[in-house]
Amino acid sequence: MANLSFNFNKIKRTYFNVTLKDGTALQVKMPTKNTFGKVQALNRLQQDENADVGDVIDTMAGVMADCLSNNLNRTKVSAEQIADDYDIEEMTAFIAEYYEKFVGGIQNNPN
């Protein structure tokens, strides 16, 4: 009988290289299940015509901070930092690029 093994540390990883406004460079990893849940909450909130704009911005900042904090250097980025330093247009652009191009691109790539 063959002795087979699998090592999670040898999986080829893809990273999303991000440079923050302050010049900090991050290699961001794939999102966690928790972050996907927050994205779903954000999508529901954005579709709610009665949603408070402040709640939408806070949720966007939280999603962006979670994504950015999941990086190789373990640099933590807070939702407050994002809300203070980035406007809604910048948050929208990052979240769209991250999920549509990076996450979506990996999921659609059969290799």
Side-chain angles (χ1 to χ4, degrees):
M1 179 127 213
N3 218 1
L4 302 175
S5 66
F6 183 84
N7 186 340
F8 278 99
N9 295 314
K10 294 191 179 197
I11 295 174
K12 184 181 178 208
R13 305 273 182 195
T14 304
Y15 301 99
F16 190 59
N17 295 308
V18 177
T19 303
L20 302 179
K21 289 167 103 174
D22 67 3
T24 302
L26 302 172
Q27 284 188 298
V28 178
K29 300 186 257 182
M30 282 288 158
T32 62
K33 179 183 177 188
N34 183 39
T35 303
F36 271 118
K38 289 182 180 182
V39 170
Q40 290 174 335
L42 174 61
N43 288 337
R44 285 190 298 274
L45 195 57
Q46 288 175 324
Q47 293 172 2
D48 181 358
E49 294 176 9
N50 298 319
D52 179 67
V53 174
D55 289 343
V56 173
I57 292 172
D58 288 344
T59 304
M60 288 179 77
V63 167
M64 188 169 161
D66 281 0
C67 294
L68 293 172
S69 292
N70 187 26
N71 63 73
L72 283 182
N73 294 348
R74 296 188 172 137
T75 301
K76 293 299 174 197
V77 179
S78 71
E80 293 78 21
Q81 177 185 351
I82 296 300
D84 289 345
D85 296 343
Y86 295 85
D87 63 32
I88 193 166
E89 187 175 45
E90 292 165 324
M91 287 187 270
T92 300
F94 170 78
I95 293 168
E97 187 82 9
Y98 181 75
Y99 279 96
E100 291 171 18
K101 303 263 176 80
F102 177 57
V103 177
I106 297 299
Q107 290 175 342
N108 293 331
N109 184 353
N111 296 322

